[in-house]
Amino acid sequence: MAILLEGRHIAEKVKEDIRLKVLSLKIRPSLASLMVGDNSGAVSYVKSQAKAAEELGVEYQIHKLSSSSSQEDIIGFVRKLNNDKSVNGIIIQNPLPEKIDYKAVSFSMDPEKDIEGVHPANIAGIITGRAKFIPCTAYAVMELISASGINLYGKEAVIVGHSSIVGKPLVFLLLDKLATVTICHIGTSQAGKLEDHIRRAEVLVVAVGKANLIKGEWIKEGAVVIDVGINRVNGKIVGDVEFSAAEKKAAFITPVPGGVGPLTVAMLMRNLVEAARLQQG
Ligand code: NDP
């Protein structure tokens, strides 16, 4: 039976380290969170970010713009935050209203304050192995893999899902540790090749958003399985991996909920504290 990789416990250790770093700074780190319109999808994230900020002694500012704001208005506001010396990190809460181009808005952030690691300058840092800020979910996945104690050198690492916040950055983060990396996506599934890739994965990361896409019997004996997916099925939250069958084969597996999720906010705060450290000179 697999050992559970519980994000909550690991997050506590990460937070302990962050608290010490905050105490060693000359400034109190401050995070500006920008919401546009009703944005009900972001409410639970904002709550957990505000709670973590309070626990860690960092400032959390919530800025709300009206849903009628134009893209120029929003970009203008982001530039104000860029120029505000009391702000060390910025988060643009998703989703934005449909007419707004998220990329245009997020690319207007000062990369030094982009603690979600979505600006092209930070993406380039991941590719070149010099990242200042790693996207929080991918960062949480790396922390969980590290908690398993596995040495990634030469391991078969398979990622399912190629989004820019999870799958794509993970390719480079795992490659940096000299794992042999394969990335699967809808094309892999439609070509009927997903199962073959999963069966040889020594480290498997799944970030799709389809309940039970990955069958437990496909999991390689002794694998490390990180399930990023969040799906609501009959009122319950489940991941993308068929958990009960997978835990019988894996050596380590993340529960859903309680795996990746609790760790992402801790990684965001780690990025914020790093931003403050760099900005204080
Ligand atoms: P996206 O929708 O951006 O990406 C999903 C990816 O899965 C795409 O690359 C898509 O490929 C691929 N995909 C879709 N169907 C299949 C299939 N049948 N077989 C293989 N690949 C497939 O999602 P995100 O990366 O934003 O999120 C993924 C999941 O992770 C969601 O459930 C989300 O809720 C969860 N999540 C959890 C977080 C946490 O903190 N725990 C944080 C962020 C996300 P294509 O685009 O080519 O169709």
Side-chain angles (χ1 to χ4, degrees):
M1 202 65 101
I3 296 174
L4 289 184
L5 289 170
E6 293 189 83
R8 203 156 287 126
H9 297 318
I10 302 165
E12 281 316 310
K13 287 191 200 134
V14 173
K15 284 184 191 168
E16 212 36 65
D17 179 55
I18 295 173
R19 274 188 203 99
L20 294 175
K21 288 210 172 94
V22 170
L23 291 175
S24 73
L25 291 173
K26 288 180 255 171
I27 54 175
R28 182 178 178 221
S30 171
L31 170 49
S33 162
L34 178 58
M35 297 172 87
V36 183
D38 158 41
N39 211 339
S40 51
V43 170
S44 66
Y45 294 114
V46 170
K47 262 193 198 156
S48 59
Q49 289 161 7
K51 184 168 169 266
E54 197 183 340
E55 277 174 40
L56 297 170
V58 311
E59 193 192 336
Y60 190 77
Q61 313 171 357
I62 299 179
H63 300 273
K64 289 186 178 166
L65 297 184
S66 124
S67 57
S68 61
S69 308
S70 67
Q71 191 156 301
E72 289 65 39
D73 294 338
I74 302 170
I75 290 177
F77 194 83
V78 171
R79 295 214 166 106
K80 254 173 64 182
L81 295 174
N82 287 345
N83 295 328
D84 183 342
K85 288 214 167 7
S86 72
V87 169
N88 304 112
I90 303 170
I91 313 179
I92 319 273
Q93 301 290 353
N94 259 318
L96 291 174
E98 247 174 55
K99 59 179 184 185
I100 308 295
D101 176 2
Y102 170 76
K103 280 194 177 158
V105 174
S106 58
F107 291 4
S108 68
M109 259 187 294
D110 178 348
E112 304 288 321
K113 296 190 179 184
D114 164 35
I115 57 167
E116 286 189 292
V118 291
H119 189 282
N122 289 320
I123 295 167
I126 293 176
I127 297 171
T128 55
R130 288 165 177 258
K132 277 188 189 149
F133 308 118
I134 296 168
C136 315
T137 310
Y139 206 179
V141 169
M142 292 306 287
E143 195 72 20
L144 285 159
I145 293 175
S146 160
S148 77
I150 193 175
N151 178 358
L152 284 166
Y153 189 92
K155 291 285 187 306
E156 291 289 337
V158 176
I159 305 162
V160 190
H162 63 147
S163 72
S164 35
I165 57 160
V166 195
K168 281 185 186 145
L170 275 171
V171 170
F172 296 100
L173 296 170
L174 290 165
L175 191 56
D176 207 40
K177 307 280 180 206
L178 294 181
T180 306
V181 187
T182 304
I183 187 151
C184 303
H185 40 72
I186 189 73
T188 321
S189 275
Q190 285 181 352
K193 294 176 180 165
L194 189 61
E195 177 180 347
D196 289 349
H197 289 291
I198 306 298
R199 282 197 183 274
R200 56 175 184 73
E202 294 171 288
V203 176
L204 174 66
V205 183
V206 189
V208 173
K210 288 192 177 151
N212 299 326
L213 174 72
I214 308 298
K215 305 297 165 219
E217 61 170 286
W218 298 353
I219 302 296
K220 189 178 173 71
E221 207 70 50
V224 175
V225 178
I226 313 288
D227 190 352
V228 183
I230 301 176
N231 310 286
R232 195 172 283 276
V233 176
N234 301 329
K236 271 181 69 185
I237 301 285
V238 299
D240 292 343
V241 179
E242 211 178 42
F243 183 85
S244 53
E247 74 167 340
K248 295 192 179 89
K249 298 191 79 180
F252 293 88
I253 190 166
T254 52
V256 178
V260 180
L263 200 50
T264 51
V265 67
M267 303 322 276
L268 180 77
M269 295 299 162
R270 186 188 267 179
N271 280 345
L272 173 70
V273 172
E274 177 60 6
R277 190 187 69 77
L278 293 169
Q279 288 163 37
Q280 76 176 1

